[in-house]
Amino acid sequence: MQHSAVPELAQTHTRPIHWVATATAIAGVMALSSVLHPNSATAAQPADARARTTHAAAPDPTGVHFPLTCGPVKAVVHKKATGDLDGDGSPETVAVVHCDAPMGTPPDGVYVVTRSTDGAPRIVATLVDPKDGTTVRDVSVDDGTVLATLLGYSSTDVPRCCPDVTTSAQWQWKNGAFTRSTPAGAHRV
């Protein structure tokens, strides 16, 4: 049997007093951290002339009455994205809405929701009309541009369950209106 060249150290054997000391030290650190707080963060206001008072959150489209005729079912917000679309410093919400049909693939409408002067959400633009018969696979807002992938049908012979046309679209706020275009690099399938 080979003996260790290093003598056994007393502190390598834990005893109950070691656990008590460790627990006391941890409790002391936690108590001290709850008393001491870092200074509050402050941010300078931007010098940009376009910067205005902003709302903390984008408008919630849940209670908005969307221009859909759904019969006995309700209109539901299927997807949404938020961002400042018109450069006023306040975020808008892009809502993808369809009738909550129990079967089939109901067409989507895409609406821009903003806050009115009293703070209530209201629709300011329709980007995709449900009468077009398209559905929206995804929607996002990137640097003031609304991007979406739209699914549609090449003819009335294609079953409404199975869209066979995919189109990429984008909208930007220009001269007081949303202008639709095809994103660079996008193609129709």
Side-chain angles (χ1 to χ4, degrees):
M1 169 155 85
Q2 184 177 6
H3 293 286
S4 172
V6 180
E8 289 189 39
L9 302 174
Q11 62 267 30
T12 60
H13 299 292
T14 58
R15 292 188 173 82
I17 192 67
H18 292 117
W19 293 111
V20 171
T22 302
T24 303
I26 291 173
V29 169
M30 291 183 68
L32 187 60
S33 69
S34 68
V35 173
L36 300 176
H37 297 286
N39 292 336
S40 299
T42 58
Q45 294 297 321
D48 186 350
R50 290 180 5 168
R52 298 182 187 130
T53 304
T54 62
H55 295 284
D60 183 6
T62 304
V64 175
H65 175 73
F66 293 97
L68 291 168
T69 305
C70 293
V73 297
K74 295 181 180 180
V76 294
V77 176
H78 179 62
K79 296 174 176 31
K80 64 182 177 178
T82 61
D84 183 7
L85 301 177
D86 57 4
D88 69 350
S90 295
E92 286 79 29
T93 299
V94 178
V96 178
V97 184
H98 64 235
C99 296
D100 193 17
M103 294 187 308
T105 307
D108 290 321
V110 179
Y111 305 96
V112 177
V113 179
T114 191
R115 292 188 187 278
S116 60
T117 54
D118 66 356
R122 66 182 177 94
I123 299 170
V124 293
T126 301
L127 303 181
V128 175
D129 193 322
K131 294 175 185 170
D132 297 341
T134 59
T135 55
V136 179
R137 181 169 60 200
D138 55 59
V139 66
S140 64
V141 174
D142 184 26
D143 195 26
T145 302
V146 178
L147 302 162
T149 303
L150 309 175
L151 305 176
Y153 305 93
S154 59
S155 74
T156 56
D157 296 331
V158 177
R160 297 296 109 177
C161 67
C162 311
D164 64 338
V165 176
T166 302
T167 307
S168 295
Q170 72 179 21
W171 293 266
Q172 290 181 309
W173 182 256
K174 292 181 181 176
N175 301 321
F178 284 98
T179 304
R180 180 177 173 170
S181 61
T182 302
H187 62 281
R188 186 175 171 173
V189 179

